[in-house]
Amino acid sequence: SQQGEEDPQALSIQEGENATMNCSYKTSINNLQWYRQNSGRGLVHLILIRSNEREKHSGRLRVTLDTSKKSSSLLITASRAADTASYFCAATPYNTDKLIFGTGTRLQVFP
Amino acid sequence: ETGVTQSPTHLIKTRGQQVTLRCSSQSGHNTVSWYQQALGQGPQFIFQYYREEENGRGNFPPRFSGLQFPNYSSELNVNALELDDSALYLCASSMGASGPDWDTQYFGPGTRLTVL
């Protein structure tokens, strides 16, 4: 069974707006990674945040991590129609290399 | 695009048959992990190989088996296929404890398996 939960399950916004997705997990982790998936194809790595980091930026992406609440958020600023995809968080439990994925958020950005 | 490749892209099998899926890892990566993604769900970890040895396994039955070769490419074998094995199978490679990016897993495009 999956360890992570994401909300919302689906999100629809207009181009130019910001999109925020939240992720919760259940155990201590080494890191948390965010991925994008278009139409059931392969996963594209977006960003990795380690357990000793609280915030990280990459282009229009901002990720936060709160290990005390076992939660993370992904913010996409100034969204574009090309950002339309499913977004998954994936936690690496402490002392393992496997990824435990969340349930995903389907983001639709309208032009 | 990552340097991880998978073959075939699509595959149709019947219940009870056996299937082999292949993955070539990104250059410089010695760790390969396999995931199963059912429709509408997040991927689930099957197992991982590090330097040709199994290095962790998820909650999958023994009919799911794998190999990693000296060039770090990998195979996933599934015996006695069941209807529920229909899914997208993803492999991911990583550097395995070397370099600043060592634990980032890069995914291939996946193999879509349909079991009839």
Side-chain angles (χ1 to χ4, degrees):
Chain A
S1 62
Q2 287 170 238
Q3 177 170 274
E5 295 288 334
E6 290 181 64
D7 79 272
Q9 289 188 340
L11 181 60
S12 295
I13 58 175
Q14 296 291 131
E15 264 192 330
E17 294 181 337
N18 296 341
T20 299
M21 290 159 256
N22 302 296
C23 164
S24 62
Y25 55 91
K26 295 183 181 176
T27 64
S28 298
I29 61 171
N30 289 329
N31 65 60
L32 189 136
Q33 305 184 44
W34 285 88
Y35 289 87
R36 184 185 76 227
Q37 185 175 44
N38 290 83
S39 301
R41 298 195 55 77
L43 296 163
V44 175
H45 185 264
L46 296 176
I47 196 165
L48 179 153
I49 186 165
R50 299 194 187 285
S51 59
N52 61 351
E53 297 175 313
R54 292 296 167 257
E55 187 171 313
K56 204 162 181 181
H57 297 255
S58 176
R60 294 184 294 114
L61 305 180
R62 173 180 167 254
V63 168
T64 62
L65 179 65
D66 187 335
T67 52
S68 67
K69 295 181 179 177
K70 292 186 169 58
S71 67
S72 175
S73 68
L74 171 68
L75 168 68
I76 304 174
T77 60
S79 62
R80 306 166 182 167
D83 295 329
T84 295
S86 292
Y87 291 81
F88 292 92
C89 67
T92 305
Y94 186 66
N95 261 352
T96 75
D97 289 335
K98 65 182 180 182
L99 294 175
I100 306 295
F101 281 83
T103 49
T105 294
R106 292 188 311 279
L107 173 66
Q108 175 83 50
V109 181
F110 291 99
Chain B
E1 236 181 67
T2 71
V4 182
T5 61
Q6 290 186 245
S7 63
T9 305
H10 296 92
L11 203 51
I12 299 174
K13 292 285 188 178
T14 56
R15 197 169 46 181
Q17 285 189 310
Q18 177 265 341
V19 70
T20 298
L21 310 182
R22 295 179 174 82
C23 171
S24 290
S25 59
Q26 188 164 310
S27 177
H29 288 189
N30 55 22
T31 302
V32 172
S33 304
W34 286 92
Y35 295 82
Q36 180 196 64
Q37 186 178 21
L39 201 60
Q41 299 184 23
Q44 294 205 35
F45 175 74
I46 303 175
F47 45 56
Q48 181 183 86
Y49 280 84
Y50 171 66
R51 293 187 174 180
E52 303 179 60
E53 298 286 332
E54 188 176 291
N55 183 43
R57 188 178 182 93
N59 192 25
F60 281 81
R63 59 190 186 82
F64 285 78
S65 63
L67 280 175
Q68 188 179 33
F69 300 99
N71 66 355
Y72 303 131
S73 66
S74 177
E75 283 183 357
L76 163 65
N77 299 291
V78 187
N79 293 322
L81 284 167
E82 301 177 0
L83 297 179
D84 284 349
D85 295 333
S86 294
L88 182 67
Y89 288 85
L90 296 159
C91 82
S93 72
S94 55
M95 295 180 74
S98 63
D101 199 26
W102 67 272
D103 50 356
T104 297
Q105 294 197 25
Y106 295 94
F107 282 79
T111 293
R112 173 75 61 189
L113 173 65
T114 301
V115 182
L116 302 176

